[in-house]
Amino acid sequence: MLDEFKEFIAKGNVMDLAVGVIIGGAFGGIVKSLTDDIIMPIVGAIFGGFDFSDYFVPLTSGIDAPTLEAAREQGAVLAYGSFFTQIINFLILAWIIFMMVKAVNNLRRKEEPAPAAPPAPPADVQLLTEIRDLLKK
């Protein structure tokens, strides 16, 4: 059983998946920072300075906090602004991954060698072909 486990772990697919998950997690942090720290403030400035992340609907009475953090401490809230921000994060991440895959596919197309010309036939076949062509005339 231990040998099977070693064989399973040593396979390239498992290692590739592990690397992909680790890099994906780090990449998710980068995209979150890009969205939260760069894109959303610009969108907020364009649309009058509001921040989507603080948009919420109170689900219980007595919630009068101006921010989502404070409202969550007072009771249940429906944080649709945070959800909207997560949708934007996802769309940005999907777009970046699409562009990366597209770039890799373009590189692969350029790297593929052109089909090789068929090999020249042997000398005796060439001679017979020439004789056939002369006889046709």
Side-chain angles (χ1 to χ4, degrees), residues 2-135:
L2 186 59
D3 289 335
E4 286 182 55
F5 181 70
K6 286 180 185 177
E7 183 181 340
F8 172 75
I9 293 298
K11 285 185 180 178
N13 294 342
V14 174
M15 297 306 287
D16 291 343
L17 180 61
V19 169
V21 168
I22 291 168
I23 290 176
F27 192 68
I30 292 170
V31 171
K32 180 172 175 27
S33 177
L34 173 69
T35 305
D36 293 346
D37 302 332
I38 296 174
I39 293 176
M40 293 310 285
I42 293 171
V43 170
I46 290 171
F47 291 107
F50 61 83
D51 182 11
F52 291 117
S53 62
D54 278 334
Y55 279 26
F56 62 91
V57 174
L59 298 176
T60 58
S61 61
I63 297 177
D64 57 356
T67 65
L68 179 61
E69 290 283 327
R72 284 184 172 157
E73 291 175 6
Q74 293 178 351
V77 294
L78 183 69
Y80 67 89
S82 293
F83 181 71
F84 183 68
T85 301
Q86 290 301 321
I87 289 174
I88 292 174
N89 284 348
F90 171 77
L91 292 175
I92 291 169
L93 181 63
W95 178 255
I96 290 171
I97 290 173
F98 168 74
M99 296 304 288
M100 289 171 45
V101 168
K102 185 174 178 172
V104 168
N105 286 341
N106 285 339
L107 287 175
R108 285 186 181 165
R109 281 188 209 123
K110 290 178 184 176
E111 290 177 1
E112 290 178 5
D124 57 342
V125 174
Q126 281 182 334
L127 181 61
L128 289 172
T129 304
E130 289 174 12
I131 293 171
R132 181 198 66 201
D133 293 342
L134 288 173
L135 289 174

